[in-house]
Amino acid sequence: MENLYDILECDPSVSQEEVKRCYVNLVLKFHPDKSRSEDSAAFIKLKRAWDVLGNPVLRREYDARWKERCLVQDLPVQEEVEFSEFELIESCCSYCYPCRCGGDFILSEAEAKFHYDIVCCEICSLTVRVLYTDAGAASDSADPCMDVNLASYLTTACTFGKALNFILFFKQSIALGIVYVCLCLLHFVFLPQPVYEGPEKIVYFRGPNLQEELERDKRITWLVSFYAAWSPQCLTFAPIFSELSAEYGLDNLKFGKMDVSRYQQVADKFGINTSTWSKQLPTVILFQEGKEKIRRPVSTKKTTLKFPFTKENVVRDFELNEVYGQCKKNPLPSRRKDKDMTEAKKEN
């Protein structure tokens, strides 16, 4: 069982914010976009550690399992068993391996996820060490940076393909180039990209009214997507953001969008590059108490770290489940209640 705190180079007693700070510092160091290829394994381990310790619920569970692991680590190990030899029992969500006494060595799904390696028989005192070589390789082989939407790749490929065709047609003949441009215009007019038509709870900002809204009521948490209408990545992310707004939107947890390609001053204010080759579109920022709390993708002066904008990644990195729970517990008072409180203050 790996010590995930060692991977993140932090102490088990540190706060959640400190864990996040350590993770961000190491991501900037080991991210595949800016590090050597041999560092990719370290980045994958780092990501796996963050998936556990970055979630307060999983972190508490991991801490409990680690304490148990420390208590049994000195027990004599009779056998080493590959995790692949354990049988999944779906009815009880656990993995079992038969013991020679007739009992079973049992691993829960949580223990398997944490790579819990010392397991005792439920009947006798025999102990085995679980080897996670195959399971670990299976889970580690999937680079989190590859978890992207296929539609994004196809959209980008088609865009560059059209640009290349445009150049080739004009090289062949100006007349053919003009015809191709006309056909593309007709395609955009009569066959536009499908638009998400499902439910959404999104506020569309224009110009400086975003900052005004952030400062108007600091009790409201905002998740804002800064996008460009021409960006294929933004178009791909749009339905995902709409679904999230419909699922998580509350009176004090709101979702907003700002077209920074139209309002360059807003892009400059929030440090978002809107050029054609920008890797910062879309940029999603979580605001709490009127201040920026979390931003994806993370950017430095030299580089922008790639962030796959899938629904699962957004929920995890912006801690939407935790934020939603906090906002649900502390709803905004109704307007009627606010009015009654104001009148009561005036009477006093």
Side-chain angles (χ1 to χ4, degrees), residues 87 104 140 195 206 290:
E87 180 184 358
D104 289 303
D140 291 350
V195 178
R206 295 181 179 178

Side-chain angles (χ1 to χ4, degrees), residues 165-335:
N165 285 336
F166 173 77
I167 296 171
L168 292 175
F169 274 120
F170 262 93
K171 274 195 169 185
Q172 185 70 24
S173 167
I174 295 178
L176 285 176
I178 294 173
V179 171
Y180 179 74
V181 170
C182 293
L183 290 174
C184 287
L185 291 175
L186 290 173
H187 175 268
F188 284 126
V189 172
F190 295 104
L191 295 172
Q193 181 166 330
V195 178
Y196 175 78
E197 297 180 351
E200 65 174 36
K201 296 179 182 178
I202 295 177
V203 178
Y204 290 86
F205 294 107
R206 295 181 179 178
N209 66 348
L210 168 60
Q211 191 62 39
E212 294 172 2
E213 188 64 32
L214 292 175
E215 296 176 355
R216 186 178 64 83
D217 191 343
K218 294 186 177 180
R219 297 172 298 177
I220 298 176
T221 296
W222 282 94
L223 188 67
V224 182
S225 173
F226 297 86
Y227 72 101
W230 48 262
S231 168
Q233 290 79 11
C234 294
L235 293 174
T236 302
F237 178 58
I240 297 174
F241 193 73
S242 296
E243 289 178 15
L244 289 170
S245 71
E247 185 175 344
Y248 289 92
L250 296 169
D251 288 341
N252 54 346
L253 175 55
K254 295 187 177 182
F255 290 70
K257 294 185 75 171
M258 166 68 76
D259 187 351
V260 287
S261 64
R262 297 176 58 191
Y263 302 100
Q264 187 59 44
Q265 69 276 18
V266 177
D268 295 338
K269 177 179 176 61
F270 290 99
I272 300 171
N273 183 357
T274 59
S275 66
T276 307
W277 305 104
S278 173
K279 295 182 180 179
Q280 297 182 23
L281 292 173
T283 288
V284 179
I285 301 178
L286 180 74
F287 296 94
Q288 289 183 321
E289 298 180 352
K291 298 180 181 179
E292 180 178 326
K293 186 74 174 178
I294 304 173
R295 173 192 292 241
R296 293 292 182 274
V298 176
S299 298
T300 64
K301 292 182 179 180
K302 295 182 179 180
T303 186
T304 297
L305 301 181
K306 188 185 300 181
F307 180 78
F309 277 100
T310 63
K311 183 177 180 180
E312 295 76 14
N313 288 345
V314 173
V315 170
R316 183 192 65 239
D317 278 46
F318 289 93
E319 303 172 356
L320 281 185
N321 290 325
E322 291 79 7
V323 173
Y324 178 84
Q326 292 171 2
C327 293
K328 194 79 172 176
K329 290 179 182 178
N330 303 288
L332 294 178
S334 63
R335 293 183 179 180

